[in-house]
Amino acid sequence: MTAIVLYCRPGFEKECGAEIQEKAAWSEVYGYLQLTKNQGVVYFHLNNPEDGETLMKSMPLRRLIFARQWFMTVTEKIALPDYNRVEAIVEALGSEWQYADLRMETPDTNDGKELSKFCRKLAVPLRQALRKNKVLTEKGNKEGSNKEGAILHALFLSGKEVIFGFSLVHNTSAHVMGIPRLKFPNASPSRSTLKLDEAFLHFIPRDEWETRLTSGMTAVDLGAAPGGWTYQLVRRGMMVTSIDNGPMAESLMETGQVKHRMMDGFKYVPQKQAVYWIVRETGAGKKVSIPDQTPIDWLVCDMIEKPQRVIDMVINWFTEGYCREAVINLKLPMAKKYDIVKELLEKLHEALPNCYYEAKHLYYDRDEITLFVKYKVHRVNQRN
Ligand SMILES: C[S@@+](CC[C@H](N)C(=O)[O-])C[C@H]1O[C@@H](n2cnc3c(N)ncnc32)[C@H](O)[C@@H]1O
């Protein structure tokens, strides 16, 4: 039976499943879920197999909060023999379809990590055999001729079982298993730094970093101590106001780029600066008001606080025009996480019609998701 297979953080299968089922129904695509707790893999079995490709073309993976990556199955589970595994796979795949690339993947579990050694060994002979059989297009030719621009996913469930599927090049994660492997910078005072690093990588296109994440910009970091997020802003040359009652790392204070304010993040208001609002057309022909100049370029927030309070704070910042863009971590220690997230995003949507937002459960997030907000029409401040 054809299924959409989704990868998520182990423990979030229910949220990932509820989300795909609900969002697929918007496109009148229906099916049932199969998931095992803590496996990080969700199967959405389609009532009508033809719907699969339609869904993968029409729903941007970026709009799914809890799924890191997805593919549509092209084989059932294949039982792997102890010998001649490559031959068994090549035979099961046939040569009807062509793909631009192969991703060798496993569930994001301890067993999966063990399996990845096995996958690495198998990858070279498997790639060679698939190229020979023209299932994989030649290196550098990114367009498969039949499944145009498709990536072949091999999900190894064990050393004895694998399932194959495809995702579309224009609607897939750039990373194997949807996981960007970021290097922890030794100069950062906390591991949390990887969350903001990943958020910038995910939400801001690389070719816009020079104008949107650049030296001379101003940022406010709420709940900043000991400074992992501030570190990411400082290393990009920004001037940062870090708000937290806790102490900030000395190394950051010594850069001269950080002002530390020991106070409640909800009470902090950026220094007064007149905000003029201008009316702009969005691409959709609608008119929205955006601030002409904001006191702050970036608001980032990693406060361990109720997400409802944090959303109200974000709404206030964008209503007042205090910042241009924001990355906000929303803590979700409660049950019914997906319902809460929906409520929060609905509130944001209603309160900020002039803003664009996206939310993602990033790899380096734990019991939390990351929200990105900006005005719908972008205006680069004069000082850039
Ligand atoms: C997860 S830690 C932040 C880690 C930080 N992003 C880093 O990378 O090092 C959460 C911080 O939020 C701070 N915090 C919680 N509630 C706050 C509030 N209302 N105002 C300011 N800081 C707050 C805590 O003191 C704590 O230092």
Side-chain angles (χ1 to χ4, degrees):
M1 192 171 178
T2 304
I4 304 281
V5 178
L6 303 106
Y7 301 157
C8 64
R9 186 181 184 87
F12 286 77
E13 299 79 10
K14 251 181 24 202
E15 287 74 17
C16 182
E19 187 181 22
I20 186 70
Q21 202 161 33
E22 179 176 306
K23 293 186 176 168
W26 296 347
S27 310
E28 299 185 348
V29 174
Y30 304 101
Y32 69 92
L33 297 169
Q34 180 199 344
L35 42 92
T36 313
K37 201 163 184 313
N38 295 325
Q39 285 304 297
V41 179
V42 170
Y43 297 83
F44 179 49
H45 295 282
L46 300 167
N47 292 354
N48 178 5
E50 324 247 289
D51 287 343
E53 207 161 330
T54 317
L55 187 66
M56 298 197 69
K57 276 184 184 151
S58 63
M59 184 189 311
L61 175 64
R62 294 189 75 85
R63 298 309 283 181
L64 292 176
I65 299 164
F66 289 98
R68 292 173 178 167
Q69 177 59 300
W70 64 351
F71 66 79
M72 182 177 137
T73 56
V74 292
T75 67
E76 299 290 323
K77 285 177 187 160
I78 300 171
L80 288 175
D82 291 337
Y83 300 99
N84 299 333
R85 297 184 183 100
V86 169
E87 288 79 352
I89 291 173
V90 168
E91 195 186 318
L93 278 175
S95 54
E96 193 184 347
W97 304 107
Q98 282 193 299
Y99 304 91
D101 200 3
L102 168 69
R103 301 259 178 96
M104 302 286 275
E105 300 179 323
T106 65
D108 180 25
T109 57
N110 287 338
D111 287 349
K113 281 185 193 102
E114 283 296 307
L115 258 182
S116 55
K117 288 176 213 143
F118 164 88
C119 291
R120 273 200 297 275
K121 266 199 193 160
L122 195 62
V124 175
L126 182 57
R127 261 177 218 280
Q128 280 172 352
L130 292 176
R131 277 215 179 92
K132 198 166 150 214
N133 252 29
K134 306 233 181 303
V135 171
L136 272 190
T137 52
E138 287 305 315
K139 268 187 203 157
N141 176 6
K142 287 283 172 201
E143 299 292 303
S145 57
N146 285 331
K147 288 220 178 295
E148 199 184 275
I151 291 173
L152 181 62
H153 295 260
L155 170 59
F156 287 84
L157 299 164
S158 70
K160 295 191 175 301
E161 208 175 30
V162 61
I163 185 162
F164 281 88
F166 75 91
S167 64
L168 300 169
V169 169
H170 68 266
N171 193 12
T172 193
S173 163
H175 312 285
V176 174
M177 290 156 62
I179 300 178
R181 305 279 173 187
L182 299 178
K183 195 166 174 286
F184 173 69
N186 287 329
S188 166
S190 74
R191 285 203 73 78
S192 280
T193 197
L194 293 174
K195 290 190 285 182
L196 188 59
D197 203 11
E198 185 184 3
F200 286 149
L201 189 69
H202 180 79
F203 294 115
I204 316 296
R206 275 252 179 186
D207 58 357
E208 294 179 19
W209 285 14
E210 266 186 37
T211 50
R212 290 170 67 186
L213 287 171
T214 195
S215 147
M217 287 187 148
T218 50
V220 169
D221 182 357
L222 301 179
W229 284 35
T230 295
Y231 169 81
Q232 289 296 335
L233 301 162
V234 163
R235 88 176 176 89
R236 288 171 169 86
M238 298 190 204
M239 302 302 290
V240 189
T241 305
S242 300
I243 315 289
D244 203 307
N245 276 320
M248 293 293 289
E250 266 311 306
S251 55
L252 286 170
M253 301 311 297
E254 282 163 9
T255 62
Q257 287 170 248
V258 182
K259 258 196 243 155
H260 181 194
R261 301 275 308 270
M262 295 176 95
M263 63 179 289
D264 182 349
F266 292 112
K267 301 221 168 98
Y268 177 78
V269 176
Q271 266 189 348
K272 270 220 152 65
Q273 174 179 327
V275 179
Y276 298 98
W277 294 82
I278 52 174
V279 177
R280 281 289 166 106
E281 293 247 345
T282 65
K286 283 191 192 145
K287 290 194 169 153
V288 292
S289 302
I290 57 162
D292 188 22
Q293 184 96 322
T294 59
I296 305 292
D297 292 302
W298 280 95
L299 166 68
V300 302
C301 169
D302 192 23
M303 289 190 290
I304 302 180
E305 289 281 358
K306 284 209 168 79
Q308 290 84 349
R309 267 195 96 189
V310 174
I311 281 290
D312 288 343
M313 181 272 297
V314 174
I315 289 173
N316 184 44
W317 272 65
F318 279 88
T319 307
E320 296 294 334
Y322 288 155
C323 65
R324 293 194 322 183
E325 309 196 57
V327 171
I328 309 290
N329 203 269
L330 297 171
K331 312 292 174 190
L332 302 171
M334 67 293 281
K336 301 205 168 169
K337 298 179 201 301
Y338 182 50
D339 290 342
I340 303 278
V341 168
K342 276 197 300 183
E343 254 173 52
L344 298 172
L345 295 183
E346 262 164 41
K347 187 166 189 191
L348 193 77
H349 186 75
E350 274 168 30
L352 299 176
N354 55 349
C355 288
Y356 167 88
Y357 63 90
E358 255 185 64
K360 196 80 185 172
H361 194 199
L362 298 171
Y363 175 67
Y364 292 98
D365 283 338
R366 290 167 182 265
D367 240 6
E368 57 203 343
I369 59 165
T370 301
L371 171 69
F372 165 70
V373 188
K374 66 167 187 154
Y375 291 100
K376 272 187 184 153
V377 182
H378 205 70
R379 184 184 163 96
V380 176
N381 275 358
Q382 304 294 306
R383 61 176 162 270
N384 300 317

